[in-house]
Amino acid sequence: MKYLVIQRRNAIKALLLEKESITINEVVQQFGISIETARRDFDALAEEGFLNKIYGGASLRRRTSAMVPLDLLTHTFSAGKNRIAARAARFVKNGDTIFLDSSDTVFRMCDSLMNQEITVLTNSLKAIGKLSASPSVRLICIGGLYHPMQEEFRGPIALEIIQNFQVDRAFITCRSFDFTHGIGTTDEDQAFFKRSVLAHAEQVNLLADHSRFGRVSFVKFADFTDIHNIFTDEPVSSEWKEFFESHSISCYECLADNASESDTSP
């Protein structure tokens, strides 16, 4: 398959998101290009701030404000995101009022929510489109300035709207988190909006695949003390488990074999 330059570079981004480091030879073989072309791709992505060039290849840049195209995020770690979304959806009960952010992982909860008698507050265009077909979901849409790259509404109008609501549970994601720098994203406006959501939710649920652990993004929007539950798709290290426990955070490992489902939570 032949790729346009932008398609190939986006595919390289997807590889880096999954593997964290790749070699020039991997790129040459996978895309059928020359070593010189692969190096030019690495140069362009390094200038964009997405990767660091290393000897013989590249590694995902850990401190980056570069935005990842939505279609890449949609197709990365898909199976794990489905497990995370299905597990998180079990926390939603009839009669709940919930907030759903615009992330791909949170959007995957919608299939499990279609027949529940709940109120959903969201700024996600995809969630609005999906849940509007539900006969039982009471849907409240947060408007504002539309951002097509994230398919979400935010900005001053959205911030003003969110001030009028209080929800039982919020379901959000992030771009990164680490022990020292807290929970972050790449965009200031998005961070301001997420902070406001956290302030208006009784319970905050963070849906984060394994690629978000131990990384730092451009802007912090939450401390770990703001989070009640974390859902992820791979086993968590003992260091992270101890950290979560010390912050009274329940961590749900949503594994393919359900090996961690020994808890009695919803």
Side-chain angles (χ1 to χ4, degrees):
M1 174 182 177
K2 281 197 169 184
Y3 289 79
L4 298 175
V5 172
I6 189 169
Q7 291 175 325
R8 185 178 66 246
R9 289 176 181 172
N10 282 343
I12 292 171
K13 287 182 178 182
L15 277 177
L16 277 166
L17 285 171
E18 291 190 24
K19 303 177 67 175
E20 297 197 2
S21 65
I22 54 176
T23 67
I24 285 181
N25 286 337
E26 284 181 89
V27 173
V28 167
Q29 292 174 12
Q30 178 149 344
F31 300 105
I33 58 177
S34 66
I35 290 177
E36 290 74 18
T37 299
R39 285 175 175 158
R40 284 196 295 271
D41 287 343
F42 282 5
D43 287 341
L45 295 178
E47 185 174 349
E48 184 180 321
F50 194 86
L51 60 77
N52 291 318
K53 293 191 293 181
I54 58 177
Y55 182 76
S59 63
L60 186 65
R61 188 174 181 184
R62 300 179 73 86
R63 293 176 181 265
T64 177
S65 59
M67 297 298 295
V68 182
L70 187 63
D71 59 341
L72 287 190
L73 295 177
T74 300
H75 295 99
T76 305
F77 312 127
S78 184
K81 289 177 179 179
N82 284 337
R83 296 195 302 271
I84 291 171
R87 186 67 178 88
R90 287 168 54 184
F91 271 62
V92 181
K93 306 301 179 186
N94 283 336
D96 277 354
T97 57
I98 67 171
F99 172 83
L100 302 178
D101 78 4
S102 66
S103 66
D104 177 57
T105 307
V106 170
F107 171 73
R108 293 170 191 244
M109 293 176 61
C110 290
D111 282 334
S112 300
L113 303 177
M114 292 294 286
N115 296 316
Q116 290 196 249
E117 296 180 357
I118 56 176
T119 296
V120 175
L121 182 68
T122 185
N123 67 327
S124 164
L125 183 63
K126 286 178 66 178
I128 292 168
K130 180 76 172 180
L131 294 174
S132 63
S134 169
S136 59
V137 172
R138 180 170 176 256
L139 184 61
I140 300 176
C141 309
I142 296 176
L145 181 62
Y146 180 62
H147 289 254
M149 189 171 182
Q150 292 81 36
E151 297 187 13
E152 69 179 8
F153 298 91
R154 47 187 158 93
I157 296 174
L159 283 171
E160 183 176 349
I161 292 172
I162 197 68
Q163 303 298 320
N164 297 300
F165 295 95
Q166 187 75 20
V167 297
D168 298 315
R169 313 177 200 278
F171 296 89
I172 63 170
T173 191
C174 63
R175 277 296 303 276
S176 66
F177 56 82
D178 81 343
F179 298 123
T180 304
H181 296 89
I183 303 165
T185 188
T186 55
D187 184 276
E188 303 99 307
D189 283 346
Q190 190 177 74
F192 296 150
F193 182 77
K194 285 180 182 285
R195 285 174 192 160
S196 189
V197 169
L198 300 186
H200 291 84
E202 293 297 318
Q203 180 192 82
V204 178
N205 301 280
L206 182 66
L207 283 59
D209 64 64
H210 64 277
S211 70
R212 316 301 168 102
F213 281 68
R215 296 186 180 171
V216 178
S217 292
F218 179 59
V219 56
K220 170 184 169 181
F221 70 86
D223 292 306
F224 287 99
T225 52
D226 298 318
I227 306 300
H228 299 95
N229 301 303
I230 288 181
F231 301 84
T232 192
D233 60 335
E234 289 193 358
V236 175
S237 70
S238 58
E239 187 178 18
W240 273 110
K241 286 182 178 178
E242 290 173 6
F243 182 82
F244 291 149
E245 185 175 352
S246 70
H247 287 76
S248 300
I249 297 171
S250 296
C251 180
Y252 298 90
E253 298 169 323
C254 310
L255 310 183
D257 59 2
N258 294 323
S260 68
E261 295 277 347
S262 59
D263 60 84
T264 58
S265 301

